[in-house]
Amino acid sequence: MTFTSFQFGVFVAIVFGIYYLPPLRSFQVPLLVLASVFFYGFGQPWLLPLLLVAVLGTYLCRVLAFENRTVWMPAGIVFNLGLLAFFKYKFLFVDPAAADLTGVAPIDVLLRLPLPIGISFFVFHNISLLVDLTREKRAVRLREVFLYIIFFPQLVSGPITRAAQFMPQIVPKRIGDVAFVEAAKWILVGYFFKLYVANNLNEMTSYMDFPLYETLRTQDRWLLVFLYSYQIYADFFGYSAIALGLGLLFGYRLPVNFNLPYISVSFSEFWTRWHISLSSWLRTYLYIPLGGNRHGPARTGLNMMIVMTLGGLWHGASLSYALWGMAHGVLLVIERPFLKLMGDGRPAVRVIRMGIVFFCVTILWIFFKLPNFDHALSYLKGMFVATDAPNPPKLFTNLALLYALPVIIQHVGIGALVEGRLRRWEPYLYGALAALACLEAGPDSTFIYFQF
C-alpha cells in the first residue's frame, strides 16, 4: 500500500476527526470499515470485490459452523487457504510469461489477477475468526467481522491479531480515553525506524540483489548481510510500531510484534521476540493442532519442521523462503535437547550465545533477501571465496554504521534507561527522532507498508 507521507497524514487526520464526533459515536465501527475499504482500494480498487468475497465467505462459514462446526469450520479454513494458495502460489504451476496460461479465457483472466495486498494477513485473520468464535459460539455482527479483518492500521502488514483479543475491544470509544502520549511515541518511533533507518539502509543493501552483488568484494558482501539484518528489523519493527500507535488513536490495542529479537540467547527465544503475532498464530493454529510436544521428541521435531517450513512459504512462493523456514526449524530442533542443560549461564556465556544466534539468523537472511535460490547460493559462495570485481561499488562504512546505530542502541537497553534515570530527556529524544524522520522523508516522500 503506497501513500505519500502527506496523503497518509491527511487521511488519518480526517478519519480521526470524524470518528470522535459525539453524534457519530454509534457509527464508529461503520466509519472505520469504510475508511479501511478506502485505504485498501487506494492502490488496487479492482481487488476490492475479492476482499468482499473473502470476508463474506468467512462470515457465512462462521454462521453455518454454529450448527455444524465439524464441517463448516474446516470448510471456511480450506476456503481461505485456497484463496491464499491461488493468488500467492499459482505461478509455481503456470508460466506467467505464456500468452495462454490454460487456453481457457475466463481462467486465464483469473490467473492474471495481481497478488492482492496483504492477503497473507487477512487470510490469517479470517482463520482466527473461524476458530476462536465458533469455539466460543459467540455471535458477532457482520460489520464487526469486517472491522476485525480489514482494520486499516493492520490490514496489509499486521500485526496479526487474534479474534479473541480484538473483538472484545469493539465498543464505543471516547476521545478522553485515547492514550495520546503512548500513541505518539509508537508512531514517532515507527516512522523513525521506517524512514531514517530502513530506507537509508535499503539504499545500500540493494547491492545484494542480482546482478549487482556480482560487483561486490568479499568483505562488502559480509558487511551488507549484517546491514540487511538491521534493515529488515527496522522495516518490520517500524511498520508494526506505526500500526500499534494508529490503533491506540482509534481506541484499539494491537499486540506488540517485536521485542528486541537480536538479544536472544537461543533460537526458540528469537521466535518469541521476532514477529511475535505470526509466531503465536503458527503455534496456536498449526503447531498445537499437529500435536505440539505431546507425542515425544521425534514427533515434536517433525512438528517444528512442518510449522517453520510452512512459515517460510507464507512469506513467499519460492524455494529460498521454504529453505529459510526449514533452516530455522533445524536450528530449533538441534538446540531443543540442550536448552535445559545450558540454563541461563554467566553473562559472558550469554553474550557468546547472543552472538551465535545473531550470526546464524543474519546469514539465513540471505535466503529471505534473495528469493531466487541460485542467486542466494551464489551470494553465499562469494562470501567465502575471494572475488575479483574490477570496479566494485564504494560503500560508505561510516554512513552504514550511522544508519544501523539506532537498532544497536535500542537492543542494548536505551529504552529502559530513558524510562528510568534519563526520563526528563525523553521529550527531547522523541523530538530528535521526529526531526530526523522528517528530514529524511519530507512531505512528498513515499510511505510504504511492508507486505507479504
Side-chain angles (χ1 to χ4, degrees):
M1 178 61 58
T2 303
F3 278 88
T4 66
S5 298
F6 179 74
Q7 287 173 332
F8 187 73
V10 170
F11 167 74
V12 172
I14 291 173
V15 176
F16 181 83
I18 299 173
Y19 182 74
Y20 284 107
L21 289 174
L24 299 179
R25 185 167 295 135
S26 59
F27 298 97
Q28 286 178 333
V29 171
L31 174 65
L32 278 185
V33 170
L34 289 174
S36 299
V37 168
F38 173 81
F39 177 78
Y40 188 81
F42 187 82
Q44 292 180 311
W46 54 88
L47 286 177
L48 282 175
L50 170 68
L51 185 65
L52 182 64
V53 167
V55 176
L56 291 179
T58 302
Y59 182 76
L60 177 63
C61 290
R62 186 196 66 82
V63 172
L64 294 172
F66 281 170
E67 301 298 327
N68 192 341
R69 187 173 189 264
T70 58
V71 172
W72 289 106
M73 188 193 75
I77 294 173
V78 170
F79 166 73
N80 278 282
L81 292 179
L83 284 177
L84 180 64
F86 175 80
F87 281 98
K88 202 158 189 175
Y89 308 108
K90 58 189 175 185
F91 291 127
L92 291 175
F93 308 100
V94 295
D95 181 8
D100 292 318
L101 297 177
T102 63
V104 181
I107 297 178
D108 286 353
V109 170
L110 289 175
L111 287 172
R112 293 194 187 280
L113 286 175
L115 177 67
I117 296 173
I119 187 171
S120 300
F121 289 94
F122 68 72
V123 161
F124 273 23
H125 276 104
N126 289 350
I127 293 174
S128 175
L129 180 87
L130 284 166
V131 175
D132 289 357
L133 297 191
T134 57
R135 179 188 296 134
E136 299 173 6
K137 289 190 176 294
R138 177 182 173 183
V140 293
R141 289 177 288 185
L142 180 59
R143 64 183 188 179
E144 294 175 343
V145 171
F146 264 98
L147 179 61
Y148 164 66
I149 294 172
I150 69 171
F151 185 42
F152 77 89
Q154 63 180 19
L155 173 58
V156 296
S157 298
I160 302 167
T161 308
R162 292 181 57 181
Q165 298 168 334
F166 188 88
M167 288 297 185
Q169 299 186 61
I170 304 179
V171 295
K173 311 293 183 182
R174 298 178 181 274
I175 195 168
D177 298 327
V178 177
F180 282 105
V181 174
E182 185 181 359
K185 287 180 180 180
W186 279 113
I187 293 172
L188 281 175
V189 169
Y191 264 103
F192 172 75
F193 274 88
K194 187 76 177 168
L195 298 175
Y196 179 82
V197 180
N199 283 7
N200 283 305
L201 288 177
N202 182 61
E203 294 293 324
M204 297 183 179
T205 58
S206 62
Y207 282 100
M208 291 180 69
D209 295 327
F210 177 82
L212 294 178
Y213 67 71
E214 294 182 336
T215 66
L216 295 172
R217 298 174 300 176
T218 300
Q219 60 266 37
D220 289 337
R221 293 194 185 208
W222 280 95
L223 172 64
L224 288 178
V225 168
F226 284 93
L227 291 183
Y228 182 70
S229 191
Y230 294 126
Q231 178 216 321
I232 196 170
Y233 167 77
D235 223 336
F236 287 13
F237 170 76
Y239 76 64
S240 295
I242 294 168
L244 206 154
L246 291 176
L248 288 173
L249 285 181
F250 293 97
Y252 293 88
R253 185 168 292 277
L254 305 179
V256 174
N257 213 18
F258 293 86
N259 181 24
L260 307 179
Y262 290 152
I263 64 170
S264 303
V265 297
S266 67
F267 299 104
S268 58
E269 183 184 355
F270 175 81
W271 283 105
T272 65
R273 293 175 174 269
W274 178 272
H275 213 324
I276 301 169
S277 64
L278 173 62
S279 303
S280 176
W281 194 98
L282 292 172
R283 181 174 62 252
T284 302
Y285 300 109
L286 187 56
Y287 178 68
I288 292 176
L290 283 173
N293 58 0
R294 301 189 300 272
H295 302 290
R299 178 66 180 273
T300 298
L302 177 61
N303 292 340
M304 285 182 175
M305 292 296 299
I306 293 172
V307 169
M308 295 309 298
T309 303
L310 292 177
L313 284 172
W314 177 80
H315 290 88
S318 76
L319 179 59
S320 279
Y321 285 125
L323 289 178
W324 172 79
M326 192 181 300
H328 272 281
V330 170
L331 292 172
L332 288 170
V333 170
I334 291 174
E335 76 166 8
R336 185 175 176 83
F338 303 101
L339 287 177
K340 290 183 179 179
L341 297 177
M342 290 186 291
D344 291 336
R346 294 174 294 179
V349 175
R350 288 182 61 83
V351 170
I352 293 172
R353 290 174 61 184
M354 283 182 200
I356 293 172
V357 172
F358 176 67
F359 177 81
C360 293
V361 167
T362 295
I363 295 300
L364 289 178
W365 283 132
I366 295 172
F367 296 95
F368 201 95
K369 173 66 173 172
L370 298 169
N372 184 298
F373 183 63
D374 291 335
H375 296 165
L377 284 183
S378 177
Y379 188 97
L380 190 61
K381 179 181 177 182
M383 294 172 63
F384 297 94
V385 177
T387 57
D388 297 322
N391 295 301
K394 181 169 179 56
L395 301 180
F396 296 93
T397 309
N398 291 338
L399 274 180
L401 177 61
L402 180 66
Y403 294 134
L405 198 57
V407 178
I408 299 171
I409 292 175
Q410 185 194 40
H411 278 72
V412 298
I414 187 65
L417 191 61
V418 169
E419 292 177 0
R421 282 180 281 178
L422 300 180
R423 190 174 184 82
R424 65 192 179 107
W425 296 100
E426 190 178 38
Y428 302 101
L429 172 63
Y430 282 99
L433 297 184
L436 285 171
C438 290
L439 180 67
E440 290 295 323
D444 297 324
S445 68
T446 301
F447 173 80
I448 303 175
Y449 268 106
F450 203 97
Q451 54 128 346
F452 297 109

